[in-house]
C-alpha cells in the first residue's frame, strides 16, 4: 500500500516523488520505458538553476538518484488500468 503512486518518471514525476518523500509519504513511481522522459534527448540544458550546463541524461539521472536515495520506489512497467475502489485506487 502506498500513499502516492506517480505514473511517469519524467522530470515532473521524479520531482513529485522527491517532494512526496520529503513529506514522509510512501511513494511508488511507474515508468513504461526509462526514467527521464523526453529530457534525456536534450544535449545541453542551460537554463536550470544551479547547473550552468548539464546534459538531459545527467539531469534525469540526478533526479532519479535523488528520488531513490530518499526512498521512492520505481517499477519499470506500463500502467494499463486504474480502478477506483472508493477508499483506495488499484493500479
Amino acid at each position: 500500500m502506498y500513499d502516492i503512486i506517480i505514473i511517469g518518471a519524467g522530470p515532473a514525476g521524479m520531482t513529485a516523488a522527491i517532494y512526496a518523500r520529503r513529506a514522509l509519504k510512501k511513494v511508488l513511481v511507474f515508468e513504461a520505458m526509462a526514467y527521464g522522459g523526453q529530457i534525456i534527448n536534450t544535449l545541453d540544458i542551460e537554463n536550470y538553476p544551479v547547473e550552468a550546463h548539464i546534459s538531459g541524461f545527467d539531469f534525469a539521472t540526478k533526479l532519479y538518484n535523488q528520488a531513490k536515495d530518499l526512498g521512492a520506489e520505481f517499477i519499470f512497467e506500463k500502467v494499463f488500468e486504474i480502478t477506483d475502489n472508493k477508499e483506495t485506487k488499484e493500479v
Side-chain angles (χ1 to χ4, degrees), residues 11-79:
M14 290 191 289
T15 300
I18 289 167
Y19 280 97
R21 282 299 302 142
R22 286 186 176 156
L24 303 177
K25 302 297 182 187
K26 188 169 181 186
V27 178
L28 176 64
V29 181
F30 277 99
E31 172 54 52
M33 306 279 288
Y35 65 81
Q38 293 298 311
I39 199 80
I40 63 171
N41 299 320
T42 303
L43 297 178
D44 185 31
I45 300 169
E46 56 182 286
N47 62 341
Y48 191 76
V50 181
E51 295 280 354
H53 293 276
I54 187 169
S55 73
F57 178 79
D58 289 342
F59 177 75
T61 300
K62 285 184 175 189
L63 281 172
Y64 175 75
N65 288 336
Q66 186 175 2
K68 288 284 287 182
D69 289 347
L70 287 169
E73 297 177 42
F74 286 77
I75 294 179
F76 292 94
E77 293 181 14
K78 187 174 183 176
V79 170

